[in-house]
Amino acid sequence: MNLTNYVKQVSLEDFGWEFRHQAYWNKRLRTTGGRFFPKDGHLDFNPKIYESFGLETFRKIVRHELVHYHLYYQRKGYRHGDRDFKELLKQVDGLRYAPPLSNSQAFLIYECLSCGALIRRRRRVNIKKYRCSRCMGRLAFLKEKLNGDCAN
């Protein structure tokens, strides 16, 4: 799928206005569905949203970013808190927030080999460099788990 052509099509069909810039996939996006750059007018989209939730949800994300885009170039309130933004987003049935990706809610569990303390982290820890903050003992990676898991 050519992303820029798809965004142009959505813009004409859902807004009746032309999209005149470029749209790109950005694999580095983690918690957001897309971004609008007022400086040069291009849009970035998270390919994981498209892969995980399908075209229908992705189209609503595209609408959200196009609301930013079109309001900015009409010199109206294009930020999330602005009335113009909220009204146009509701009018075109765009998503207010990106749906959460399952890996964005995962965390890592480390165990101190000296005192047995469990340490939860969102990012990886270099266990050769860092130590337990309680007893300065060495750390060992235990497991990765999702927020929905009940057991420690």
Side-chain angles (χ1 to χ4, degrees):
M1 162 169 66
N2 183 338
L3 184 59
T4 300
N5 288 339
Y6 179 72
V7 172
K8 286 180 179 183
Q9 175 190 341
V10 170
S11 183
L12 284 173
E13 290 175 4
D14 297 347
F15 293 85
W17 299 319
E18 192 177 343
F19 175 69
R20 299 178 185 197
H21 291 84
Q22 293 293 311
Y24 303 103
W25 294 112
N26 186 342
K27 294 179 183 177
R28 294 182 315 271
L29 296 178
R30 294 189 182 266
T31 58
T32 184
R35 292 188 303 182
F36 165 60
F37 292 83
K39 188 174 183 180
D40 65 356
H42 84 273
L43 302 176
D44 274 0
F45 291 99
N46 187 344
K48 293 176 212 143
I49 296 285
Y50 175 66
E51 293 162 5
S52 301
F53 298 101
L55 190 61
E56 184 179 335
T57 301
F58 181 69
R59 186 175 180 115
K60 291 183 178 191
I61 299 283
V62 171
R63 289 179 192 147
H64 177 106
E65 298 310 320
L66 284 171
V67 169
H68 288 296
Y69 175 85
H70 289 303
L71 289 175
Y72 177 79
Y73 287 107
Q74 293 173 11
R75 299 183 191 273
K76 294 182 179 177
Y78 69 96
R79 294 189 171 101
H80 289 121
D82 296 334
R83 177 179 283 142
D84 293 329
F85 178 84
K86 290 178 182 177
E87 288 174 358
L88 186 57
L89 187 66
K90 190 174 183 180
Q91 204 174 19
V92 297
D93 189 33
L95 279 181
R96 183 94 164 111
Y97 303 103
L101 293 165
S102 61
N103 65 353
S104 66
Q105 296 181 1
F107 57 88
L108 307 162
I109 300 178
Y110 296 89
E111 181 179 22
C112 174
L113 297 176
S114 296
C115 70
L118 295 178
I119 299 155
R120 295 178 9 166
R121 291 286 176 261
R122 294 248 182 232
R123 294 186 179 181
R124 291 207 176 276
V125 172
N126 182 349
I127 59 176
K128 293 179 182 174
K129 183 177 178 182
Y130 294 98
R131 297 195 167 239
C132 175
S133 62
R134 295 175 187 165
C135 70
M136 297 304 289
R138 294 180 56 90
L139 299 176
F141 176 73
L142 214 61
K143 63 182 175 180
E144 184 172 348
K145 104 177 184 184
L146 298 174
N147 274 346
D149 293 348
C150 295
N152 281 343

